[in-house]
């Protein structure tokens, strides 16, 4: 107690010591002091009052500090509200008595510390000591900066308590605000400035105070008690904050920005104007050059709030500040503070988003490139939230009015590419949620999956904006051409390059990413943007869309869209997504339908009209479609038509929406219900789709019953069949499967099928997807594409003909009932079918012959045998009928019975051939060819009748003679005057083959001859000797075959009148004995013929080997009969050995050729001595023994057998050794089981336009 009272003594030193002791006791034994003082309240109050008095009497700062500490500690220990009230009353009383705040700095300092120590004191001051607060407020007008700082500190603590602020009287509260603003404006010490700013920030949290401060124009009253009265003046909060912002103190700049933000958050529309008019945005942009993260964050925030006012943009602050912002962001993105990065990117986004179109931010490319670089760096940030903000900034940057001149397409590609590439790095799984895709982001996603979902959604928005920008640039010629682009950059920095990049990103990144997300959890927003992006692609690059559409359709996108539409848009939900789905399906369908060669523009528009009308309401799962299609009463017809069209489009491109049986049964039900309900006829496109689906998905195991087929026919008859036609093999199989359908639509179907021209289909290098043919996309491949499509169509038709041979009758009718081109195509298909399937198919030939006979008779009735041949129809139809007749012979065999139809055909054709002119080779060739095939293949028991019928036609004999007399010069004139594609040499070859058959059969059956045919043997021999280089192999073979037939009958036939030619001296008289014996051939002609045949053998052509050996055998037989000496002389000529040497040393395949073996046999038979064991026979046996007898063909085995038999019988050979004889015998014995005595059946082969019998060009063995 003594110490307590000693503290009141006047000595300063003693007071300091006493206060120190009291403070020590309070710290060490607080309870003792409390107990002591509470024994007598008066003593305690007196002690507190004494300490308060020291605050006014003492001048030593250290002692005053001790007094303040003791007072605060004492009041805390006493824990008495009454003592606190007494202290406050005491301070107020002294202020009132003095009527000034002079000298109250210690008291205010104490009060500030007491407020810190007692949390309830601010509320107490506001409720019970308003007068004291008024004095404190007046203290702000006192010139002492330190005192003002203390006052500001106390008031800040009061304003930090919301309840205390609410208790303050409005006049006092507003007065405080004005005083604080004025004090801050006049502050010159850091402490006062800081305390004022702290108090001001607290005041600015209250909207009413903000209103007062922003409208603070009143005069501040002067303090009469102040030694330096303040003059009346005005102050403005924006100007005060501007002054602080211009100060060099970074902390003050941050505080200024905080205060500015605190004002603007209350009402940007009310307060932004004053700040903007004070040019604060300009100075805020200047502060962006700072490296302080706190200052940058605050500045970004202020500018964000100011950007909500249009005046911010109209005064071009953004134009001047965008460069500062870009430089600041470049530095900020190198920091680690993600919040500052996000705040800066958000500011950039808001400026780009709200900048008026009339005020361009980037008049040159450099500014745009700078922003693009910032966006690229930010997108690559490892933080997904920063990357998401960057994607928002990129979205705002991709606006038309932000593009510089020239447009920086290369930078746009980089931005979009970076955003989309980042999508490939997103973690899995991805969770999306409903977010705001505008300038200001919503709340931060809670987890990594949600962050990834937010970025993906923003990436889609950015990509969609890029597509929209590309579309806008394409619509403006100046932007599309980009005229000011440097020449070396035009290829990469072009709109087309940007569009290609967009399509590539969409194809390689967006589609896989979004489809993967949709498999987990479909998002309405993601899908809406995604489908909108896909829609844009159809506008940006129309030339590539056909391929892109095909890829989308074949990847199941039709099903994807329909399923998501059903799940997310049913019940009138998500109208935006529903519109996007419908728009995408329409664009995809238009592109797919436009590619089909069978679709006309009117049909495409009709189908699209159906889809456009029904797609918005079609929110049903695909699995529900069968019930909708089979329900004839509960579903609108338009909806059914829409479903059918979608099924058709999807199936065309490999996207089967329903199982095959389900589609088939639905189509049957739909088509059968159409006639029953009596509704108006469905659109042609719907019927065509239904028929196509029915054909493609026809059940191959069961047949439709008669009533169903009849209903289908009735439904299809509602529209013209050409409008229902689709060029697809399934349609052929389906319609020709049922007799009623084929009778009704078969001819039209076949006409349309053959009339189908492979189109590039509105897509360069692509064919009709419906036909199942996929062609290259390049324009250089258009010719192979058309060829491939034609080949596919032909193969499909051949398959139908094989399964339904009666279709051939329909084709046959088209041959004569249609135009020339269509008839030729029908003929080509029948010819191909006959060539491939006709061999041995007698039933097919029997089916066609009666119809062919009727057609031939009808064509013959159109005209008479005038110089112009048959009537007008003959040039187009008659050759085709005759060619088909030739093909029917491929099914003929020698052991069959020729019926009456065949004899009638033989009669009509022979008459027709006799009436034609030689220059009508297109008709004459198939006629002669048919006659030749009939005679060559006629059975032995029918041959006499056939040959007699032909020989009685003198006109035909004249025709053959005329054709044979054609010289090369006349042949050339014939070729130029004839419209036939067949060369004249083929016609002469056919005539020679026909004549050779007539000679053989007439000789065999001794048939009566009514007219002889003049033949010049010498001319034919001369042709073989001198003209073989300019004559084709078939012509040479036909000449040799005719000579063989002449030699077989000994050049003596009633059918022939042989000309004596002077070429080889045959007309010299008198004849030499040898020439007389060989007349009319002559010795020189015989030798020339032998040489010519040897020359043909040396050509080693398969077509000439056998026929030459056959003719040589016949010649040797003729010579042996007429002049054996000449025969031996011919066989013994040295050049026969040269011939053998050349042939036997031309490889094993030629060495064992049946013709070569027969030649050896023939020479041995002649006894010429040319053939010996070594080397000729030794070579043959070595090859046979090395290869093996079992590997020999039947014809080779038979020829070898004849050779070895002749070896055993030949007397011209040097006697064989025992070993040689044993070898020959062993080989001969092993051939016994390989050789058959039955002759090989003859068949008809074809070379070009000529059909010929294989037996005429096959080696004759067994002679």
């Amino acid at each position: 107690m003594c110490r307590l009272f000693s503290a009141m003594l006047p000595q300063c030193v003693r007071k300091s010591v006493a206060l120190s002791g009291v403070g020590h006791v309070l710290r060490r034994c607080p309870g003792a002091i409390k107990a002591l003082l509470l024994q007598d309240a008066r003593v305690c109050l007196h002690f507190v009052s004494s300490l308060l008095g020291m605050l006014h009497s003492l001048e030593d700062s250290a002692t005053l500090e001790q007094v303040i500490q003791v007072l605060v500690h004492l009041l805390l220990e006493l824990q008495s509200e009454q003592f606190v009230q007494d202290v406050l009353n005491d301070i107020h009383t002294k202020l009132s008595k003095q009527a000034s705040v002079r000298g109250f700095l210690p008291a205010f300092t104490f009060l500030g510390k007491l407020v810190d120590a007692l949390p309830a004191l601010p509320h107490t001051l506001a409720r019970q000591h308003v007068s004291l607060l008024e004095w404190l407020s007046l203290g702000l007008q006192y010139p002492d900066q330190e005192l003002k700082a203390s006052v500001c500190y106390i008031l800040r603590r009061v304003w930090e308590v919301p309840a205390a602020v609410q208790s303050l009287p409005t006049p006092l509260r507003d007065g405080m605000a004005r005083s604080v603003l004025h004090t801050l404006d006049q502050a010159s010490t850091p402490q006062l400035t800081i305390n004022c700013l702290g108090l001001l920030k607290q005041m600015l949290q209250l909207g009413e105070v903000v209103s007062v401060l922003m409208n603070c124009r009143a005069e501040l009253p002067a303090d009469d008690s102040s030694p330096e009265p303040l003059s009346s003046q005005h102050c403005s909060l924006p100007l005060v904050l501007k002054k602080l912002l211009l100060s060099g103190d970074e902390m003050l700049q941050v505080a200024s920005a905080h205060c500015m933000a605190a004002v603007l958050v209350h009402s940007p529309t009310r307060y932004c104007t004053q700040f903007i008019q004070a040019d604060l945005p300009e100075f805020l942009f200047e502060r962006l050059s700072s490296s302080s993260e706190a200052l940058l964050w605050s500045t970004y925030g202020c500018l964000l709030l100011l950007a909500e006012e249009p005046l911010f943009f109209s005064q071009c602050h953004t134009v001047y500040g965008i460069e500062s912002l870009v430089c600041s962001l470049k530095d900020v993105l190198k920091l680690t503070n993600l919040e500052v990065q996000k705040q800066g990117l958000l500011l950039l986004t808001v400026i780009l988003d709200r900048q008026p179109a009339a005020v361009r931010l980037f008049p040159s490319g450099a500014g745009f490139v700078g922003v693009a670089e910032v966006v690229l760096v930010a997108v690559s940030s490892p933080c997904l939230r920063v990357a998401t903000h960057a994607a928002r900034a990129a979205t705002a940057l991709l606006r038309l009015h932000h593009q510089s001149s020239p447009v920086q397409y290369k930078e746009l590609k980089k931005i979009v590419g970076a955003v989309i590439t980042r999508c490939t790095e997103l973690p899995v799984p991805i969770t999306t949620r409903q977010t705001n895709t505008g300038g200001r982001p919503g709340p931060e996603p809670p987890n990594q999956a949600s962050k990834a979902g937010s970025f993906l959604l923003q990436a889609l928005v950015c990509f969609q904006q890029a597509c929209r920008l590309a579309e806008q640039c394409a619509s403006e010629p100046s932007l599309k051409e980009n005229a000011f682009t440097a020449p070396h950059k035009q290829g990469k920095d072009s709109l087309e390059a940007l569009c290609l990049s967009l399509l590539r990103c969409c194809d390689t990144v967006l589609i896989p990413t979004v489809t993967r997300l949709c498999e987990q959890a479909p998002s309405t927003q993601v899908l809406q943007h995604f489908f909108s992006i896909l829609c844009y692609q159809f506008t940006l690059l129309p030339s590539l869309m056909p391929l892109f559409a095909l890829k989308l359709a074949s990847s199941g996108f039709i099903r994807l869209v329909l399923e998501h539409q059903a799940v997310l848009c049913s019940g009138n939900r998500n109208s935006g997504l529903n519109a996007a789905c419908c728009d995408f399906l329409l664009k995809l369908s238009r592109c797919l339908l436009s590619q089909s060669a069978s679709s006309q523009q009117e049909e495409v528009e009709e189908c699209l009209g159906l889809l456009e009308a029904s797609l918005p309401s079609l929110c049903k799962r695909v699995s529900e479609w069968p019930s909708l299609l089979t329900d004839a009463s509960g579903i609108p017809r338009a909806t059914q038509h829409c479903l059918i069209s979608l099924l058709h489009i999807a199936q065309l491109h490999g996207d089967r929406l329903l199982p095959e049986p389900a589609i088939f049964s639905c189509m049957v039900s739909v088509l059968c219900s159409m006639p029953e309900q009596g509704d108006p006829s469905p659109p042609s496109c719907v019927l065509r789709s239904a028929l196509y689906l029915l054909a493609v998905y026809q059940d191959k195991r069961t047949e439709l019953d008669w009533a169903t087929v009849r209903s289908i026919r009735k439904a299809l008859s509602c529209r013209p069949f050409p409008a229902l036609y689709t060029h697809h093999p399934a349609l052929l199989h389906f319609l020709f499967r049922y007799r009623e359908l084929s009778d009704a639509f078969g001819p039209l179907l076949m006409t349309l099928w053959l009339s189908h021209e492979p189109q590039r289909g509105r897509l360069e290098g692509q064919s009709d997807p419906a036909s199942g043919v996929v062609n290259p996309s390049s324009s250089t491949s258009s010719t192979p594409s058309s060829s491939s499509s034609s080949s596919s169509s032909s193969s499909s038709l051949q398959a139908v003909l094989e399964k339904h041979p009666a279709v051939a009758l329909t084709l046959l009718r088209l041959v004569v009932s249609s135009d020339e081109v269509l008839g030729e195509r029908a003929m080509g298909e029948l010819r191909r079918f006959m060539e491939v399937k006709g061999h041995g198919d007698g039933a097919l030939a029997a089916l066609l012959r009666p119809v062919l006979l009727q057609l031939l008779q009808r064509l013959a009735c159109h005209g008479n045998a005038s110089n112009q041949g048959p009537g007008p129809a003959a040039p187009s139809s008659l050759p085709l009928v005759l060619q088909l007749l030739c093909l029917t012979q491929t099914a003929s065999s020698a052991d069959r019975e020729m019926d009456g139809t065949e004899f009638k055909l033989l009669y009509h054709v022979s008459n027709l051939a006799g009436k034609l002119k030689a220059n009508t080779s297109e008709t004459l060739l198939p006629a002669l060819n048919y006659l030749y095939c009939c005679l060559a293949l006629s059975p032995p028991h029918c041959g006499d009748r056939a040959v007699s019928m032909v020989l009685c036609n003198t006109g035909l004999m004249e025709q053959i003679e005329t054709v044979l007399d054609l010289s090369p010069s006349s042949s050339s004139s014939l070729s130029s005057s004839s419209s036939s594609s067949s060369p004249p040499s083929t016609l002469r070859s056919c005539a020679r083959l026909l004549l050779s058959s007539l000679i053989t059969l007439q000789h065999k059956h001794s048939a009566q001859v009514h007219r002889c045919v003049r033949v010049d043997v010498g001319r034919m021999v001369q042709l073989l000797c001198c003209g073989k280089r300019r004559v084709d192999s078939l012509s040479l073979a036909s000449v040799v075959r005719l000579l063989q037939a002449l030699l077989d009958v000994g050049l003596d036939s009633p059918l022939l009148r042989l000309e004596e030619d002077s070429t080889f001296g045959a007309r010299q008289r008198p004849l030499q004995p040898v020439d007389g014996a060989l007349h009319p051939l002559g010795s020189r002609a015989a030798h020339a013929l032998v040489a010519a045949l040897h020359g043909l053998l040396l050509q080693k052509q398969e077509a000439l080997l056998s026929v030459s050996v056959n003719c040589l055998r016949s010649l040797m037989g003729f010579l042996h009969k007429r002049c054996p000496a000449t025969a031996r002389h011919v066989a013994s000529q040295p050049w026969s050995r040269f011939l053998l040497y050349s042939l036997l040393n031309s490889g094993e395949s030629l060495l064992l050729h049946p013709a070569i073996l027969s030649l050896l046999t023939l020479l041995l038979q002649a006894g010429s001595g040319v053939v010996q064991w070594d080397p000729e026979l030794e070579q043959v046996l070595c090859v046979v023994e090395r290869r093996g007898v079992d590997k020999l063909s039947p014809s080779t085995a038979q020829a070898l057998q004849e050779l070895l038999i002749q070896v055993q019988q030949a007397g011209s050979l040097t006697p064989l050794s025992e070993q040689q004889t044993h070898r020959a015998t062993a080989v001969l014995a092993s051939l016994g089981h390989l050789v058959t005595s039955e002759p090989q059946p003859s068949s008809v082969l074809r070379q070009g336009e000529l059909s010929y019998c294989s037996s005429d060009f096959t080696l004759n063995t067994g002679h």
Side-chain angles (χ1 to χ4, degrees), residues 6-304:
S6 65
M8 303 175 188
L9 298 177
Q11 292 82 1
C12 180
V13 175
R14 183 178 297 178
K15 290 181 180 181
S16 177
V17 173
L19 289 171
S20 177
V22 172
H24 180 72
V25 172
L26 286 172
R27 288 191 298 273
R28 298 293 300 273
C29 305
I33 295 293
K34 179 180 179 181
L36 180 64
L37 291 176
L38 290 180
Q39 291 178 2
D40 190 345
R42 290 176 301 168
V43 174
C44 182
L45 183 59
H46 178 69
F47 179 66
V48 172
S49 299
S50 300
L51 291 175
L52 286 174
M54 292 182 186
L55 295 177
H56 297 279
S57 61
L58 294 177
E59 295 181 359
D60 182 62
S61 59
T63 305
L64 286 173
E65 182 65 25
Q66 289 179 337
V67 172
I68 292 172
Q69 290 180 2
V70 170
L71 268 173
V72 172
H73 204 165
L74 180 62
L75 292 174
L76 285 176
E77 288 299 327
L78 292 175
Q79 295 181 356
S80 171
E81 177 70 21
Q82 183 61 43
F83 285 120
V84 174
Q85 293 288 345
D86 290 342
V87 169
L88 295 177
N89 291 330
D90 184 83
I91 295 174
H92 179 257
T93 300
K94 291 178 179 178
L95 282 171
S96 299
K97 289 180 179 180
Q98 186 173 329
S100 173
V101 294
R102 186 192 301 252
F104 272 82
L105 176 60
F108 290 166
T109 303
F110 158 69
L111 192 56
K113 291 184 179 294
L114 186 62
V115 170
D116 288 339
L118 299 175
L121 184 58
H123 192 232
T124 302
L125 285 171
R127 289 179 56 195
Q128 302 177 18
H129 299 276
V130 175
S131 299
L132 179 58
L133 291 178
E134 291 176 350
W135 279 105
L136 288 173
S137 180
L138 289 175
L140 294 176
Q141 301 177 18
Y142 193 73
D144 187 356
Q145 300 281 321
E146 190 175 359
L147 185 142
K148 290 180 181 181
S150 297
V151 172
C152 288
Y153 187 83
I154 298 170
L155 294 179
R156 177 188 173 187
R157 291 302 183 187
V158 174
W159 279 81
E160 285 179 348
V161 179
V165 176
Q166 295 297 329
S167 301
L168 289 176
T170 301
L172 176 61
R173 183 191 63 194
D174 295 345
M176 283 183 184
R178 295 188 186 94
S179 299
V180 169
L181 179 61
H182 186 272
T183 302
L184 180 61
D185 183 43
Q186 301 296 323
S188 59
T189 63
Q191 183 180 4
L192 176 58
T193 303
I194 292 172
N195 286 358
C196 275
L197 284 172
L199 174 58
L200 182 62
K201 286 176 60 178
Q202 294 298 324
M203 288 181 169
L204 292 177
Q205 293 182 8
L206 191 63
E208 292 84 352
V209 175
V210 170
S211 178
V212 170
L213 290 176
M214 291 302 293
N215 295 287
C216 183
R217 296 294 180 182
E219 296 180 354
L220 293 175
D223 186 1
D224 296 336
S225 62
S226 173
E228 300 178 1
L230 295 173
S231 60
S232 299
Q233 52 184 300
H234 299 281
C235 63
S236 168
L237 178 61
L239 294 178
V240 171
L241 296 179
K242 178 181 177 181
K243 183 175 69 172
L244 294 174
L245 196 62
L246 292 174
S247 68
D249 193 331
E250 190 175 272
M251 183 176 63
L252 296 181
Q253 293 173 347
V254 173
S256 174
H258 286 173
C259 291
M260 197 182 309
V263 173
L264 294 174
V265 294
H266 289 286
S267 177
T269 56
R270 287 182 59 189
Y271 306 128
C272 278
T273 303
Q274 297 182 44
F275 286 107
I276 294 173
Q277 290 176 346
D279 292 330
L280 275 169
E282 179 181 351
F283 298 104
L284 286 171
F285 277 118
E286 291 180 0
R287 299 286 78 77
L288 293 180
S289 60
S290 172
S291 59
S292 170
E293 295 180 2
L295 179 57
L296 288 174
W297 192 91
S298 302
T299 306
Y300 289 152
C302 287
L303 289 171
L304 276 171

Side-chain angles (χ1 to χ4, degrees), residues 436-697:
N436 176 27
T437 57
R440 287 186 176 274
E444 290 292 345
N447 52 46
Q448 193 70 4
S450 297
K451 293 175 185 177
S454 298
F455 179 83
L456 175 60
L457 181 58
Q458 189 58 50
L460 290 172
V461 175
C462 178
F463 196 91
Q464 184 179 358
Q465 179 60 37
C467 295
R468 186 182 295 112
L469 173 63
E471 186 180 58
Q472 292 170 341
C473 291
S475 63
E476 295 191 16
S478 60
L479 299 179
K480 184 177 181 180
E481 296 174 3
N482 225 17
F484 298 101
T485 305
H488 66 281
K489 295 182 179 179
Q490 287 182 353
K492 298 180 180 179
D493 202 5
S494 64
L495 177 60
E496 183 180 3
L498 173 62
C499 294
L500 284 172
S501 177
L502 292 174
L503 180 60
R504 188 179 300 110
C505 292
C506 182
D507 185 28
T508 59
V509 179
L510 281 188
I511 291 177
T513 303
V514 175
T515 52
R516 184 176 69 248
L517 169 65
C518 293
E519 292 175 357
Q520 304 168 4
S523 167
T524 302
Q525 283 186 315
V526 168
L527 288 173
Q528 181 174 340
H529 292 298
F530 177 59
F531 292 139
S532 298
I533 289 170
L534 293 179
C535 289
Y536 272 114
Q537 306 310 309
F538 290 92
T539 307
L540 298 180
L541 285 173
S543 60
L544 295 182
M545 281 307 99
L547 290 176
F548 186 61
L550 288 174
K551 184 174 182 179
L552 290 177
S554 60
S555 301
F557 259 76
I558 297 178
R559 175 188 291 273
L560 176 73
V561 177
L562 292 170
E563 290 290 348
H564 286 307
Q565 183 188 21
V567 173
L568 300 174
C569 302
S570 59
N572 296 324
R573 295 178 298 138
N574 300 318
S575 58
L577 175 59
N578 193 11
C581 291
C582 296
D583 192 23
F584 170 69
L585 284 176
L586 285 172
K587 282 183 165 51
L588 179 63
S589 300
R590 178 184 293 276
C591 190
L592 294 174
L593 291 174
S594 299
Q595 296 177 54
S596 176
S598 59
S599 297
Q600 301 298 325
Q601 186 63 29
E602 296 78 7
E603 297 175 356
V604 173
E605 295 299 332
E606 184 181 32
C607 182
L608 292 175
L610 288 174
L611 295 178
E612 186 175 6
S614 301
L615 276 176
S617 60
L618 184 64
C619 296
K620 299 290 185 180
R621 302 290 295 266
V622 175
S623 57
E624 302 174 13
W625 286 16
S627 60
L628 300 178
L629 288 170
T630 55
D631 185 3
S633 58
I635 191 72
R637 275 294 185 183
T639 302
Q640 287 187 335
H641 297 167
C642 178
L643 297 180
I644 294 172
S645 299
L646 288 174
L647 287 171
H648 180 207
I649 296 172
Q651 196 283 331
L652 280 177
H653 304 92
D655 189 4
R656 295 185 177 179
L657 301 179
L658 292 173
E660 292 185 12
I663 295 180
F664 184 78
S665 60
C666 288
M667 294 305 104
V668 170
S669 175
V670 169
L671 289 175
C672 290
S673 65
M674 286 179 182
E676 296 174 358
Q677 293 187 356
D679 294 341
S681 299
S684 300
C685 62
V686 175
L687 276 177
R688 181 161 59 92
S689 299
L691 176 59
Y692 171 80
L693 293 171
L694 196 64
V696 170
Y697 294 122

Side-chain angles (χ1 to χ4, degrees), residues 925 929 986 989-990 993 1034 1245-1252:
L925 175 61
N929 202 182
T986 305
S989 299
C990 184
L993 293 175
L1034 184 59
L1245 305 177
R1246 193 167 184 86
Q1247 180 173 339
E1249 296 294 326
L1250 182 63
S1251 299
Y1252 60 92

Side-chain angles (χ1 to χ4, degrees), residues 814-1055:
L814 293 180
V815 171
V816 294
S817 62
S818 303
D819 58 52
E820 184 175 353
V821 176
L822 194 60
E824 289 178 356
R825 290 180 183 174
M827 180 63 201
E829 297 296 339
L830 284 172
R831 176 187 300 171
R832 191 174 295 108
F833 180 64
M834 295 294 295
E835 289 174 350
V836 176
K837 300 295 181 182
H839 292 286
D841 192 353
L844 178 61
L847 179 67
L848 293 177
R849 284 193 188 103
V851 182
L852 288 171
L853 177 59
Q854 294 176 6
L855 294 175
L856 195 61
Q857 291 171 340
R858 187 172 66 182
L859 291 172
C861 291
H862 287 172
N864 51 27
S866 62
N867 291 336
Q868 301 299 326
S876 61
S877 302
L878 185 56
L880 302 180
V881 175
L882 293 173
Q883 290 173 23
L884 191 57
L885 273 174
C886 294
L887 293 176
T888 59
Q889 296 305 313
T890 60
S892 302
S893 58
D895 58 348
R896 65 180 176 82
E897 183 72 27
M898 292 182 66
D899 56 13
T901 301
E902 292 183 75
F903 281 109
K904 291 179 182 179
L905 285 170
L906 188 63
Y907 171 76
H908 282 287
V909 174
S910 61
N911 281 341
L912 179 64
K915 296 173 183 179
L916 292 170
K917 279 191 173 183
N919 61 357
T920 57
S921 58
E922 64 176 355
T923 306
L924 186 57
L925 175 61
L928 296 181
N929 202 182
Y930 174 72
L931 296 175
Y932 159 67
C933 292
C934 283
L935 294 176
L937 295 176
S938 60
H941 56 281
C942 299
D944 56 344
R945 183 181 174 185
V947 72
S948 298
M949 182 178 292
V950 174
L951 289 175
C952 70
N953 192 327
T954 58
L956 176 61
M957 299 300 106
E958 293 177 1
Q959 190 72 271
I960 294 174
E961 185 176 293
T962 303
V963 173
L964 293 178
D965 284 343
L966 291 174
S967 62
S969 59
S970 62
S971 299
S972 60
S973 63
L974 183 150
S975 177
S976 62
S977 62
S978 175
S979 61
S980 171
S981 61
S982 304
S985 60
T986 305
L987 181 61
R988 293 196 303 272
S989 299
C990 184
R992 294 186 192 111
L993 293 175
L994 174 57
L995 183 57
S996 63
S997 295
L998 287 172
I999 293 171
T1000 302
L1001 291 174
Q1002 191 279 331
H1003 180 74
K1004 180 178 179 180
H1005 298 289
S1006 302
Q1008 183 180 1
V1009 177
H1010 298 271
R1011 188 189 186 284
C1012 296
V1013 177
R1014 184 179 66 255
V1015 176
D1016 191 341
V1017 178
R1019 184 178 171 186
M1020 289 192 290
V1021 175
Q1022 184 184 19
L1023 177 63
L1024 295 180
C1025 293
C1026 306
K1028 57 187 175 221
R1029 289 190 177 182
R1030 61 177 184 271
V1031 181
D1032 59 274
S1033 299
L1034 184 59
S1035 296
L1036 292 175
S1038 65
V1039 172
V1040 175
R1041 175 69 186 95
L1042 179 56
L1043 287 172
Q1044 177 194 345
L1046 291 172
L1047 293 170
D1048 286 340
V1049 298
L1051 298 178
D1052 183 17
S1053 172
L1055 180 58

Side-chain angles (χ1 to χ4, degrees), residues 1174-1191:
D1174 190 17
E1176 290 84 12
L1177 298 178
E1178 178 69 23
Q1179 283 183 267
V1180 172
L1181 283 181
C1182 286
V1183 173
V1184 171
E1185 290 171 347
R1186 183 170 61 253
R1187 180 176 293 186
V1189 175
D1190 294 338
K1191 300 291 182 64

